């Protein structure tokens, strides 16, 4: 069905809806009792007008309402409710939507600035155009971020007045700097966007740099508010016994003792680091989804080539940021444990443990989607046969790691299944549910994805380095050593106690990080000035590759929603952990099923809105409107 | 026959399908709604037997002790009442158990790491009376509870 037919159908339905509404309104108004106008006029003239029973009834009701309002004493509300949806879900959805748009608005300038800088250094105009294309997505998204931010603030004030007032008591000195920075953010963002090509390159790069500095500062302030709710203090060895003690930023009654400790609280920096990396990964994926959307719309080869390249760069940014994200997540989780083991246990070993099985499925899908896109991408380069033979082995490694990571320690089983297994865990498979197996799986996943990138980078290129064989072998040795170390610590983890096993995650992480750094450092000179043995045909990707990009963006968004829930839900029945108790009817942790429903609805709303952002951003490339008569006249003139 | 589905329809189906799949995953995992533990009332006239019962509630509820004390992260409670008096020389079972609750890092059972929170501090915030109830329950695990509300735990 063509778009015109759909629009026509919507138009007809809208017309019918308007007619029905008008007719219904007319019917209701017509059937309301009224005194005959002439009689009312006569009675009013004679001063004998009497109220009808209906008017009298309305007047009595108003009087009763007023009397009741006057008799009612003013009571400060602690909580207010939202019918059907509830206060918590309202704030939850608004906060998540605000956060998703904010993450996007903070992330895009980071890589737009980097791409513009590359364009400036190399002198290649295509980088400048690409950076501008990314920046086009910002202005509408910025408005969305501000709108949802205001919406969230009002919702908090209305629905959680006492708690919001408490946060104001703690953080009011940070509000003015926040607003000023927000103003500066708008200034730098719009001057960066509208000033494209209007300023000199250095000045424009300075604007982009300042946009990033201010945006990061805004996020750091907002992060202080939310991390304070989880860790309202710091840990410091006060009594000199070598064991960090909890130093609260507030008194037992909640009064502020130290704004500095409240702001720079224990989980503030881990969240900052995690969010910067996650934002870039998320922003890259959404920008790649935009490119996919434009690619699928493109009518000519030039546009297809441009948006294919844009999608590739967006996905590249997303995956490069995604690779260290599990490490940042591990650091954050370790810091949460260090702050409060109770919180840590709640997160990984109790209420939320099954959430991490869903997270494993999401991350597994992300890795599969990203690798699939890269493998398809090899098709746009001639001479890929040499590398394609590795793909099946990478696919096998990724599939095995995915399966291990998604294997829970305790299976959901029926009574007969439990009897057959001899317990709630499978006698063999439950070993894969333990930390050793999971850490090994995620590290091998990361190494495999990095290898996909490396193969893609080499496709169609031949190194001319004099020591290419030696360097390639060195890379292979580094890669194999890292993989073996990861597997060794994974297997050895089963032979040691729990505390040692948890610490094994650190050498595993360092092995992978070191391998990626060393291999990259070798690869840069190895393929510098490499001979381009084959042509890259941008714009020659199958449509399914573009749907893969959209799938990756969806999975990222859903993952952010899920992890946002666990970070906030960890506090249980506390507004501020250990300080301000939540006494509202929502002071309980909902089921995972319910939480995933809320996350899904939020993701659908976000994608509806981001679709509008994409559409508005794509309008810039369309032809300007011309009245039909003028166009016809122009045509006649040209014909003459 | 090849079905020619328009691109916007495919996108909508992809978004709905993927979201529905992830939501479905959320429905098939175990579902548990966690409510705040109900307040525990300690009457001044409670006997040691009453305290054991209250202690059991606190250990399984607000204290969330069982999440760790399973011999994996922290020692299990089986027989703790019998061995408490011999853990640290010079400390009685009540003194040792009280120290474990008020100052858990003062002594670590070999093979286990530090990290347990002080149970009189937030977010658990047991009162002194509640601590006595927990000590009574711990004593009853393989031993004989002797704590009463008049007992001085020394903290």
């Amino acid at each position: 069905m063509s778009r015109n037919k759909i629009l026509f159908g919507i138009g007809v339905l809208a017309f019918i809806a308007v007619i029905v509404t008008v007719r219904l309104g007319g019917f209701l108004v017509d059937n309301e009792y009224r005194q005959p106008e002439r009689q009312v006029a006569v009675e009013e003239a004679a001063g004998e007008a009497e109220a009808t029973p209906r008017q009298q009834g309305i007047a009595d009701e108003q009087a009763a309402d007023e009397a009741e309002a006057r008799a009612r004493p003013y009571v400060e509300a602690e909580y207010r409710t939202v019918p059907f949806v509830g206060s918590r879900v309202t704030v939850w959805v608004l906060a998540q939507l605000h956060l998703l748009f904010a993450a996007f608005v903070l992330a895009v300038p980071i890589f737009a600035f980097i791409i513009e800088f590359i364009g400036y250094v190399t002198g290649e105009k295509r980088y400048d155009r690409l950076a501008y294309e990314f920046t086009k997505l910002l202005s509408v998204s910025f408005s969305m971020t501000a709108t949802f931010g205001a919406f969230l603030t009002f919702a908090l004030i209305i629905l959680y007045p006492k708690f919001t007032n408490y946060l104001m008591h703690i953080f009011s000195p940070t509000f003015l700097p926040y607003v000023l920075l927000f103003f500066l953010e708008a200034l730098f963002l719009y001057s960066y966007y509208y000033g494209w090509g209007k300023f000199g390159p250095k000045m424009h790069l300075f604007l982009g740099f300042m946009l990033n500095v201010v945006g990061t500062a805004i996020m750091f302030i907002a992060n202080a508010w939310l991390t304070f709710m989880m860790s309202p203090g710091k840990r410091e060895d006060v009594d000199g016994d070598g064991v960090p003690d909890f130093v609260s930023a507030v008194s037992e009654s909640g009064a502020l003792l130290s704004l500095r400790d409240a702001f720079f609280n224990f989980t503030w920096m881990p969240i900052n680091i995690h969010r910067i990396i996650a934002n870039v990964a998320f922003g890259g994926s959404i920008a790649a989804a935009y490119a996919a959307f434009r690619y699928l719309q493109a009518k000519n080869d030039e546009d297809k080539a441009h948006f294919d390249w844009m999608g590739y760069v967006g996905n590249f940014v997303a995956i490069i940021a995604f690779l260290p994200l599990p490490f940042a997540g591990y650091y954050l989780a370790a810091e949460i444990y260090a702050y409060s083991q109770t919180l840590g246990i709640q997160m990984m070993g109790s209420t939320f443990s099954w959430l991490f099985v869903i997270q494993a499925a999401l991350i597994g899908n992300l890795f599969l989607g990203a690798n699939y896109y890269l493998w398809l991408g090899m098709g746009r380069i001639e001479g890929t046969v040499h590398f394609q033979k590795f793909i099946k082995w990478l696919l096998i490694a990724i599939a095995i790691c995915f399966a291990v990571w998604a294997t829970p320690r305790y299976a959901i089983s029926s009574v007969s299944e439990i009897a057959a297994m001899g317990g709630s865990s499978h006698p063999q498979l439950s070993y894969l549910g333990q930390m050793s197996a999971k850490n090994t799986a995620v590290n091998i996943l990361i190494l495999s994805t990095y290898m996909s990138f490396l193969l893609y980078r080499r496709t169609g290129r031949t190194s001319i380095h004099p020591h290419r064989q030696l360097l390639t072998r060195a890379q292979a040795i580094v890669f194999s050593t890292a993989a073996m170390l990861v597997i060794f610590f994974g297997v050895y983890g089963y032979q040691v106690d729990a505390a040692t096993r948890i610490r094994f995650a650190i050498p595993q992480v360092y092995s992978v990080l070191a391998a990626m750094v060393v291999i990259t450092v070798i690869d840069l000179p190895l393929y510098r000035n490499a001979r381009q043995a084959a042509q890259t045909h941008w714009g020659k990707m199958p449509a399914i590759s573009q749907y893969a990009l959209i799938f990756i963006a969806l999975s990222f968004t859903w993952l952010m929603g899920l992890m946002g829930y666990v970070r906030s839900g960890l506090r249980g029945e506390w507004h501020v952990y250990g300080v301000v108790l939540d006494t509202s009817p929502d002071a309980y942790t909902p089921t995972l099923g319910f939480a995933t429903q809320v996350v899904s609805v939020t993701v659908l709303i976000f994608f509806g809105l981001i679709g509008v952002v994409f559409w508005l951003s794509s309008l810039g490339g369309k032809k300007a409107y011309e009245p039909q008569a003028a166009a016809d006249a122009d045509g006649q003139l040209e014909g003459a | 026959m090849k079905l020619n589905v328009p691109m916007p329809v495919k996108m909508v189906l992809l978004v709905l399908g993927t979201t529905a799949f992830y939501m479905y995953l959320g429905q098939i995992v175990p579902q548990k709604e966690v409510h705040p533990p109900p307040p525990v009332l300690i009457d001044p006239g409670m006997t040691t037997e009453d305290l054991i019962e209250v202690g059991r509630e606190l250990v399984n509820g607000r204290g969330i002790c069982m999440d760790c004390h399973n011999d994996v992260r922290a020692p299990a409670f089986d027989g703790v009442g019998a061995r408490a008096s011999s853990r640290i020389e010079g400390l009685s079972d009540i003194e040792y158990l009280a120290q474990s609750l008020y100052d858990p890092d003062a002594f670590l059972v070999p093979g286990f790491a530090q990290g347990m929170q002080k149970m009189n501090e937030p977010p658990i915030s047991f009162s002194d009376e509640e601590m006595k109830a927990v000590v009574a329950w711990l004593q009853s695990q393989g031993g004989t509870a002797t704590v009463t509300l008049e007992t001085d735990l020394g903290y």
Side-chain angles (χ1 to χ4, degrees):
Chain A
M1 193 185 292
S2 70
R3 186 190 297 176
N4 287 342
K5 283 181 183 173
I6 294 171
L7 287 175
F8 179 75
I10 292 171
V12 170
L13 285 175
F15 179 74
I16 293 169
V18 169
I19 295 294
V20 169
T21 310
V22 169
R23 297 289 298 176
L24 188 65
F27 173 77
L28 291 172
V29 171
D30 289 346
N31 284 279
E32 185 187 23
Y33 175 77
R34 292 192 194 86
Q35 275 194 309
E37 281 180 22
R38 272 179 295 177
Q39 185 189 344
V40 173
V42 169
E43 285 177 356
E44 278 179 354
E48 297 168 353
E50 280 184 21
T52 62
R54 183 176 179 278
Q55 286 168 333
Q56 189 60 50
I58 291 170
D60 289 348
E61 272 180 18
Q62 283 174 344
D65 288 347
E66 192 181 329
E68 193 190 346
R70 283 184 186 284
R72 197 167 47 230
Y74 172 71
V75 179
E76 194 116 32
E78 201 167 334
Y79 299 104
R80 294 189 184 90
T81 54
V82 176
F84 306 114
V85 183
S87 313
R88 175 169 60 181
V89 172
T90 305
V91 169
W92 182 352
V93 171
L94 289 174
Q96 192 59 54
L97 286 170
H98 171 61
L99 206 116
L100 289 170
F101 276 107
F104 185 63
V105 167
L106 292 177
V108 171
I110 295 175
F111 52 83
F113 170 75
I114 293 170
I115 292 168
E116 190 194 359
F117 183 73
I118 293 170
Y120 172 68
V121 172
T122 60
E124 287 190 49
K125 285 284 172 203
R126 61 179 186 145
Y127 285 108
D128 196 67
R129 189 187 162 199
L130 182 67
Y132 181 62
E133 196 74 46
F134 281 128
T135 311
K136 273 161 66 175
L137 297 166
L138 282 179
S139 60
V140 185
S141 305
F142 186 72
S143 306
M144 292 276 192
T145 310
T147 306
F148 279 110
F151 209 164
L152 172 64
T153 309
F154 292 141
L156 281 170
I157 293 169
I158 293 167
L159 302 175
Y160 292 86
K162 193 176 172 187
F163 166 60
T164 310
N165 202 31
Y166 178 72
L167 280 187
M168 287 178 185
H169 157 67
I170 303 291
F171 286 111
S172 54
T174 65
F175 292 165
L176 186 60
Y178 184 85
V179 172
L180 289 175
L181 283 170
F182 205 82
F183 179 74
L184 280 177
E185 167 94 349
L187 190 74
F188 284 121
L189 189 146
Y190 289 116
S191 56
Y192 185 65
Y193 174 53
Y194 289 110
W196 212 287
K198 309 286 190 296
F199 297 107
K202 284 182 184 168
M203 181 63 192
H204 194 257
L205 279 168
F206 172 75
L207 291 173
F209 176 75
M210 288 310 295
L211 174 61
N212 280 298
V213 169
V214 171
T216 308
I218 287 176
M219 187 185 73
F220 279 16
I221 294 178
N223 284 353
W225 307 337
L226 70 97
T227 50
F228 169 80
M229 290 162 68
M230 182 157 64
S231 55
K234 60 179 180 181
R235 283 213 171 265
E236 199 172 273
D237 185 10
V238 177
D239 49 16
D241 63 353
V243 180
D245 302 287
F246 175 63
V247 181
S248 180
V250 293
S251 70
E252 282 179 20
S253 64
L256 180 64
L257 298 175
S258 163
L259 177 63
R260 184 186 164 82
D261 289 349
F263 193 97
F264 301 107
N265 63 74
F266 198 80
T267 55
W268 179 68
M269 191 45 83
I271 283 274
N272 286 339
I273 292 169
H274 192 268
R275 275 200 163 169
I276 287 175
I277 299 172
N279 286 354
V280 173
F282 170 73
S285 77
I286 296 292
Y290 168 73
F293 169 73
R294 296 296 306 272
Y295 180 92
L296 292 168
Q297 273 188 331
K299 297 278 188 280
N300 58 59
D301 288 346
E302 190 191 348
D303 281 353
K304 272 184 184 286
H306 176 68
F307 289 113
D308 182 15
W309 187 53
M310 185 183 181
Y312 167 75
V313 173
N315 188 55
F316 179 82
V317 168
I319 301 304
I320 286 295
F322 186 54
L323 290 181
L325 196 55
F327 305 140
Y330 183 84
Y331 167 55
L332 173 61
E335 290 296 279
I336 291 172
Y337 259 105
Y339 174 73
S340 162
Q341 201 167 71
T342 314
L343 268 179
I345 301 295
Q346 288 277 94
M347 179 172 63
M348 298 301 288
S350 180
T351 317
F352 295 99
S353 56
W354 277 97
L355 181 142
F356 288 90
V357 174
I358 304 173
Q359 185 215 27
L362 279 157
I363 294 180
N365 274 340
L366 279 170
F367 274 113
L368 271 179
N371 281 283
Y372 178 64
Y373 175 79
L374 278 176
W375 300 335
L376 284 176
M378 286 183 179
R380 59 163 96 85
I381 306 168
E382 293 166 2
T384 54
V385 183
H386 176 62
F387 291 115
Q388 277 177 338
K389 65 186 175 198
F390 294 111
I391 288 175
K392 68 178 173 194
W393 297 110
L394 287 171
L395 180 61
I396 289 168
I398 290 168
I400 291 172
C401 292
F402 185 5
V404 169
W405 206 9
T407 303
R409 184 161 183 191
Y410 299 101
I412 311 159
S413 326
S414 64
V415 176
S416 59
E417 286 167 337
I418 289 173
M421 290 191 297
S424 60
S425 58
H426 191 276
Q428 284 88 37
L429 289 178
S430 66
Y431 286 108
L432 301 179
Q434 293 186 21
M435 206 63 179
S436 287
K438 296 201 182 300
N439 281 342
T440 307
V442 73
N443 280 295
I444 297 292
L445 262 178
I446 290 168
L447 270 180
S448 305
T449 306
Y450 176 74
M451 186 50 70
S452 285
F453 262 122
L454 212 63
L455 291 181
Y456 182 87
R457 181 176 142 75
R458 290 176 175 204
T459 306
R461 302 169 79 200
T462 307
S463 172
I464 52 167
H465 196 283
H467 305 297
R468 58 184 174 278
Q469 274 194 330
L470 179 72
L471 292 175
T472 307
R473 279 182 194 151
Q475 284 181 314
I477 290 168
V478 171
F479 180 81
S480 313
T481 309
M484 282 191 290
L485 276 173
V486 167
I487 294 169
F488 167 75
F489 281 112
V491 175
Y492 190 41
Y494 289 97
Q495 315 296 321
V496 294
D497 60 79
T500 314
R501 182 164 56 240
I502 289 167
R503 283 199 294 274
F504 276 179
I506 296 165
Q508 286 184 316
V509 165
Y510 282 145
S511 305
V512 173
L513 279 178
M516 290 198 296
V517 170
V518 171
I519 292 172
T520 306
V521 167
I522 295 174
D523 215 57
L524 290 175
L526 185 60
Y527 278 84
R528 185 173 295 139
N529 303 322
R531 188 160 54 81
Q532 196 69 36
Q535 191 72 30
T536 304
H537 298 286
W538 292 107
K540 297 293 176 196
M541 286 284 271
I544 193 161
S545 64
Q546 306 305 304
Y547 291 110
L549 289 180
I550 295 166
F551 174 77
I552 290 169
L554 258 170
S555 299
F556 260 124
T557 313
W558 215 93
L559 182 61
M560 287 200 38
L562 188 73
M563 300 323 282
Y565 163 63
V566 69
R567 186 197 50 72
S568 187
L570 266 187
R571 301 191 311 272
E573 68 271 27
W574 296 91
H575 284 315
V576 179
Y577 194 63
V579 179
V580 182
L581 200 60
D582 181 356
T583 55
S584 74
D586 291 327
Y588 66 93
T589 306
T591 61
L592 261 177
F594 179 77
T596 52
Q597 286 167 18
V598 177
V599 171
S600 298
V601 169
T602 311
V603 169
L604 289 178
I605 295 172
F606 176 74
F607 265 80
L609 293 171
I610 207 77
V612 175
V613 173
F614 287 179
W615 173 67
L616 289 172
S617 302
S618 68
L619 288 180
K622 292 197 184 299
K623 279 197 295 186
Y625 170 76
E626 279 184 43
Q628 193 57 44
D632 290 346
D634 287 349
Q636 282 168 3
L637 280 174
E638 279 170 20
Chain B
M1 191 180 74
K2 192 183 171 190
L3 191 64
N4 194 13
V5 183
M7 184 268 281
V9 177
K10 283 184 189 168
M11 279 202 179
V12 169
L13 288 177
L14 177 66
V15 170
L16 289 177
T18 308
T19 312
F21 170 68
Y22 290 138
M23 193 170 77
Y24 171 72
L25 286 182
Q27 312 307 308
I28 58 171
V29 296
Q31 305 294 322
K32 188 181 169 192
E33 209 169 70
V34 182
H35 287 264
V40 172
L41 296 174
I42 297 184
D43 188 277
M46 276 185 166
T47 62
T48 301
E49 288 305 310
D50 297 330
L51 287 180
I52 292 173
E53 188 52 33
V54 172
R56 189 187 59 77
E57 274 183 50
L58 290 169
V59 165
N60 289 290
R62 202 168 99 216
I64 51 171
C65 311
M66 292 305 193
D67 281 352
C68 295
H69 284 276
N70 48 16
D71 258 351
V72 177
R73 295 192 188 98
F77 291 135
D78 303 335
V80 67
R83 60 178 177 265
S85 60
S86 57
R87 277 284 193 207
I88 303 175
E89 205 176 316
L91 288 190
S92 69
D93 57 345
I94 292 177
E95 287 166 337
Y96 168 72
L97 293 171
Q99 186 195 63
S100 305
L101 294 167
Y102 282 100
D103 190 7
D105 290 333
F107 171 80
L108 294 176
V109 175
F112 295 99
Q114 64 184 33
M116 176 177 153
Q117 76 148 97
K118 294 175 179 173
M119 300 303 277
N120 57 328
E121 288 184 354
I124 307 292
S125 304
F126 281 158
S127 65
D128 288 341
E129 286 69 29
E130 288 169 332
M131 287 290 217
K132 287 171 192 171
V134 174
V135 170
W137 182 82
L138 290 169
Q139 278 188 303
S140 74
Q141 301 302 296
T144 307
T146 53
V147 167
T148 66
L149 283 175
E150 283 71 45
T151 306
D152 180 11
L153 294 180
Y155 285 90

